[in-house]
């Protein structure tokens, strides 16, 4: 996998910090294209690092960089669950010092160096893509779906990757009825509300894949954020999930 320095990533002109409860607008320096975001393909998926830059395209609201995880990274994750089943972390890092800072934040277990190197690379990619001086990092060990309902994020663009366990589920624009999101479901479950027609329409990323989710806070994407949810977790299993946001 290439490093961030080996590709040209187009930075945005302005970045605002945000949280999920308030919409913060994020404006890339691009002229909008005249397409219908609800019928035009909204995802870009591939195994080349350059696919990440597609997040700047209209009306792309979801990008998946497919990749396998190194065996040492997987080994560290399994050990982390066994040794620290309740481990979680939420912090803001500067990408240029992230590797050292991360090393101080995680327990000493076999395979740690490979895991820290991989996590620092993701932070470097994310910060380079959006020209960030700081990255908000969150890592959680989960035994249940954190966000079990399909939803959109009220922010610019979030990176999500699952280091262990089933990956994020999502829907194409052209198979969903956005009026059924949130209160529009009228108390019905996603599969009964009319949000989508059949379970076969639900897409899911693989363990290790890097996902960019464009939210409603991206200017020009209001009301068209990527629709996604956390997957169910089998009893006795756990997921290790990492998210990155503008710091």
């Amino acid at each position: 996998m290439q490093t961030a320095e080996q590709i040209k990533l187009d930075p945005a002109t302005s970045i605002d910090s945000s949280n999920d409860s308030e919409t913060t607008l994020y404006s890339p320096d691009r002229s909008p294209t005249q397409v219908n975001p609800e019928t035009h393909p909204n995802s870009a998926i591939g195994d080349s690092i350059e696919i990440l830059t597609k997040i700047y395209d209209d009306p792309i609201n979801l990008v998946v960089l497919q990749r396998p995880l190194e065996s040492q990274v997987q080994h560290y994750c399994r050990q982390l669950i066994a040794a620290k089943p309740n481990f979680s972390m939420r912090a803001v890092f500067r990408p240029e010092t992230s590797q050292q800072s991360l090393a101080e934040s995680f327990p000493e277990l076999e395979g740690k160096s490979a895991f820290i190197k991989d996590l620092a690379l993701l932070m470097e990619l994310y910060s380079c893509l959006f020209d960030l001086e700081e990255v908000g990092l969150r890592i959680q060990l989960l035994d249940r779906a954190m966000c079990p309902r399909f939803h959109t994020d009220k922010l610019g663009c979030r990176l999500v990757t699952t280091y262990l366990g089933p990956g994020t589920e999502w829907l194409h624009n052209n198979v969903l009825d956005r009026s059924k999101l949130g209160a529009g479901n009228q108390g019905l479950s996603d599969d009964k509300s009319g949000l989508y027609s059949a379970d076969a329409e639900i897409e899911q990323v693989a363990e290790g894949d890097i996902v960019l989710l464009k939210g409603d806070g991206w200017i020009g994407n209001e009301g068209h954020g990527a629709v996604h949810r956390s997957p169910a977790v089998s009893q006795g299993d756990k997921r290790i999930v990492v998210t990155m946001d503008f710091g």
Side-chain angles (χ1 to χ4, degrees):
M1 184 169 167
Q2 295 165 287
T3 64
E5 289 84 0
Q6 291 175 295
I7 61 172
K8 293 182 179 180
L9 296 174
D10 188 1
T13 56
S14 64
I15 296 168
D16 287 309
S17 299
S18 64
N19 57 46
D20 286 350
S21 61
E22 297 180 358
T23 300
T24 302
L25 297 181
Y26 174 86
S27 179
D29 186 17
R30 296 293 182 93
S31 299
T33 54
Q34 299 301 312
V35 296
N36 184 340
E38 293 308 306
T39 58
H40 194 276
N42 64 296
S43 62
I45 302 172
D47 59 6
S48 172
I49 199 171
E50 286 85 359
I51 198 72
L52 296 176
T53 63
K54 293 292 184 181
I55 198 65
Y56 280 98
D57 292 354
D58 295 317
I60 297 297
N61 64 13
L62 183 143
V63 172
V64 181
L65 173 57
Q66 299 171 317
R67 61 164 196 157
L69 289 173
E70 293 183 13
S71 59
Q72 282 296 300
V73 174
Q74 293 174 312
H75 181 59
Y76 182 82
C77 290
R78 289 191 293 267
Q79 288 190 103
L80 182 61
I81 284 179
K84 302 284 185 179
N86 298 315
F87 180 85
S88 66
M89 184 183 67
R90 190 168 191 169
V92 175
F93 292 91
R94 297 187 66 85
E96 65 269 20
T97 60
S98 63
Q99 193 153 341
Q100 178 180 346
S101 299
L102 288 169
E104 296 170 354
S105 304
F106 285 83
E108 293 295 335
L109 300 167
E110 188 177 359
K112 177 181 176 179
S113 61
F115 175 78
I116 295 300
K117 181 179 178 181
D118 188 82
L119 190 55
L121 174 59
L122 264 61
M123 196 174 297
E124 180 186 8
L125 292 174
Y126 184 68
S127 63
C128 185
L129 183 63
F130 296 111
D131 195 24
L132 302 174
E133 293 184 0
E134 294 182 327
V135 173
L137 173 70
R138 186 178 186 181
I139 181 167
Q140 293 177 287
L141 277 60
L142 303 169
D143 58 5
R144 60 180 62 87
M146 182 171 62
C147 301
R149 300 297 300 259
F150 278 112
H151 65 284
T152 63
D153 293 330
K154 310 299 182 183
L155 39 70
C157 186
R158 169 171 286 167
L159 181 150
V160 180
T161 190
T162 303
Y163 273 100
L164 192 67
T168 300
E169 297 178 344
W170 59 278
L171 294 170
H172 287 283
N173 282 349
N174 59 6
V175 304
L176 67 91
D177 179 355
R178 287 181 183 268
S179 70
K180 305 300 182 182
L181 289 169
N185 61 44
Q186 298 183 351
L188 299 174
S189 60
D190 287 340
D191 61 330
K192 297 291 196 305
S193 67
L195 177 64
Y196 56 91
S197 299
D199 288 345
E201 294 173 339
I202 300 174
E203 304 286 348
Q204 186 171 26
V205 303
E207 181 181 275
D209 287 352
I210 300 169
V211 188
L212 294 177
L213 300 167
K214 187 185 291 183
D216 293 328
W218 183 295
I219 287 182
N221 198 56
E222 300 94 324
H224 302 295
V227 176
H228 62 285
R229 72 180 180 188
S230 304
V233 181
S234 300
Q235 187 173 5
D237 290 340
K238 283 200 173 187
R239 301 173 67 218
I240 297 182
V241 181
V242 166
T243 61
M244 294 183 191
D245 296 301
F246 305 156

